[in-house]
Amino acid sequence: MRISLFRFSLAPYRAELLTAIERVLASGRYVLGPEVEAFEREFAQAVGARHCVGVANGTEALMLALRALGVGPEDEVIVPSFTFYATAEAVAAIGARPVFCDVDPQTFCVTPETVKPRLGLRTRAIVAVHLFGYPAPIEELRAFGLPIVEDAAQAAGAARGGRRAGALGDIAAFSFFPSKNLPCLGDGGAVTSDDPVLAERVRLLRHHGSRDKETFEAIGLNSRLDALQAAVLRVLLPHLEEWTQRRRAAADHYRRAQLERWLALPVEPPDGRHVYHLFVTRHRHRESLARALSERGIEARSYYARPIHCQPAMRSFAPTYALPGTEEVAATNLALPIGPDLTANEVAEVVDAIAAAFSDAPSRPSVR
Ligand SMILES: Cc1ncc(COP(=O)(O)O)c(C=O)c1O
């Protein structure tokens, strides 16, 4: 592929990364320790949350956030079905029941209207996903009076109402998987919260439920952030803002090309900032369009075509009601190349290929 879906390379940061890795090697501290503590302080500040706890990955960040809130067996947690599988898996993995809600096809996110019909006597929390980098309307969900967990795995740097993703709900989970907006060089994650009690609980649970390795107060996990990943994250975090601006500039190039002549484009939040982890359009004949782009060396792909409520592992949680917004976006979404390294010329090439696919429509009747 000449233009890949993720246009993001860490090559320019190689020297800085090697220096940080050498520092960890010299220190002999590989799990938690001063690098992790320094990253936790720096990331909390970047997010605007009082506390950050570094953990092993985004999935366990969600599990630990839910456990810290006291969610457990018999409890129901409202989650969207249109998201990465781990959002609902984390709920089931701690013995609770995921209750699937719909999403707004415009934003790909939950709204008060999609959450409300799923509330019940056993509802203990709502997980709102900032999907593809769009900040979900957390403030509006507060009216339900339930704890809100942000799944901010795809949304480092996003904001709404003057606050950053990770500081909008009661507690938030981040992933630093290498494809994310803030990546590390393997698996990594974090939990952020303003609440010292919740943060302390996550700190305890990420380390086998122990403060001192002598006394074990709770059944926890081994879910610690490695010092190497924390050192890498400390090098990359200062670049997040610039990368976000470059992602947004690339999205702007797509918009200025008036792609909406052919496709439904991602929307911007009313009072906030989309960080375009992915630039996800919608079209009912997306497969033919993806094929036409692929013939021109441009990668485009759909996400979550089989939503979570239809996955075999979720059979026992399958809803009896329909999720029309989820079904619509699962069937129509198509992500176009995006990333800090996507140039205006590359955007022009993608736009040109899309225009050609639609002007060839008589020979490709399924595109229209
Ligand atoms: C929305 C969402 N939630 C949770 C996760 C899980 O994160 P991780 O892969 O770090 O476990 C991911 C990413 O993979 C994700 O995209």
Side-chain angles (χ1 to χ4, degrees):
M1 284 291 169
R2 278 181 302 107
I3 307 180
S4 56
L5 193 63
F6 290 96
R7 293 284 293 110
F8 189 19
S9 164
L10 294 181
Y13 312 98
R14 185 187 161 90
E16 267 183 280
L17 289 170
L18 288 174
T19 306
I21 289 167
E22 291 278 5
R23 188 174 70 231
V24 174
L25 272 176
S27 80
R29 290 290 304 272
Y30 302 129
V31 179
L32 299 180
E35 286 290 345
V36 172
E37 285 162 25
F39 171 68
E40 288 175 343
R41 280 193 300 276
E42 289 159 14
F43 193 61
Q45 194 180 18
V47 163
R50 287 207 181 88
H51 307 277
C52 168
V53 185
V55 300
N57 54 66
T59 308
E60 289 174 356
L62 282 166
M63 289 167 62
L64 291 163
L66 289 161
R67 287 275 315 273
L69 285 168
V71 177
E74 311 294 314
D75 291 333
E76 293 185 354
V77 177
I78 298 177
V79 293
S81 172
F82 188 73
T83 168
F84 180 57
Y85 178 70
T87 309
E89 182 186 37
V91 174
I94 63 160
R97 186 178 181 85
V99 173
F100 295 106
C101 73
D102 212 354
V103 292
D104 172 355
Q106 294 271 322
T107 64
F108 302 103
C109 288
V110 302
T111 65
E113 292 71 34
T114 68
V115 167
K116 196 171 177 196
R118 306 301 152 225
L119 295 167
L121 291 175
R122 289 183 192 276
T123 312
R124 276 297 303 271
I126 300 164
V127 180
V129 185
H130 303 304
L131 201 69
F132 305 140
Y134 180 95
I138 305 288
E139 198 52 44
E140 296 168 33
L141 297 174
R142 285 195 177 283
F144 297 126
L146 284 160
I148 298 170
V149 179
E150 292 172 71
D151 182 340
Q154 301 185 2
R160 191 144 179 164
R163 286 178 75 83
R164 289 274 160 117
L168 292 164
D170 294 278
I171 191 163
F174 285 88
S175 165
F176 305 124
F177 186 79
S179 62
K180 298 294 192 264
N181 287 32
L182 176 63
C184 66
L185 301 181
D187 277 311
V191 175
T192 56
S193 180
D194 273 347
D195 184 330
V197 176
L198 292 180
E200 201 42 45
R201 186 94 186 133
V202 172
R203 221 171 269 288
L204 185 81
L205 291 171
R206 77 167 168 185
H207 189 45
H208 304 294
S210 178
R211 289 169 218 272
D212 57 7
K213 293 194 226 166
E214 293 285 337
T215 305
F216 296 87
E217 300 169 37
I219 307 293
L221 284 177
N222 172 359
S223 184
R224 301 168 299 220
L225 184 62
D226 289 341
L228 276 171
Q229 301 304 351
V232 163
L233 286 161
R234 294 185 68 201
V235 169
L236 300 181
L237 177 59
H239 299 286
L240 176 63
E241 184 54 34
E242 178 205 330
W243 294 335
T244 300
Q245 282 173 22
R246 279 158 44 190
R247 283 177 185 277
R248 289 183 51 77
D252 234 40
H253 289 309
Y254 277 126
R255 271 183 217 293
R256 270 189 262 133
Q258 295 172 343
L259 277 183
E260 68 274 10
R261 282 174 288 171
W262 303 294
L263 303 166
L265 297 187
V267 294
E268 284 276 328
D271 175 26
R273 179 163 88 152
H274 196 319
V275 291
Y276 297 103
H277 173 59
L278 288 163
F279 188 87
V280 184
T281 65
R282 287 178 291 132
H283 193 276
R284 69 198 160 93
H285 297 305
R286 61 158 176 219
E287 281 90 5
S288 344
L289 179 56
R291 262 196 309 279
L293 292 178
S294 168
E295 283 163 18
R296 302 257 311 235
I298 296 162
E299 189 180 10
R301 61 162 283 201
S302 58
Y303 276 79
Y304 320 132
R306 188 173 186 179
I308 308 178
H309 74 280
C310 303
Q311 294 293 342
M314 292 286 156
R315 214 169 281 130
S316 54
F317 307 120
T320 51
Y321 45 85
L323 294 170
T326 298
E327 276 145 34
E328 183 191 327
V329 291
T332 59
N333 83 81
L334 186 71
L336 302 180
I338 192 83
D341 299 344
L342 187 73
T343 64
N345 282 344
E346 287 172 329
V347 171
E349 238 187 278
V350 177
V351 170
D352 201 54
I354 292 170
F358 282 94
S359 69
D360 284 356
S363 60
R364 288 181 194 279
S366 56
V367 172
R368 266 208 190 274

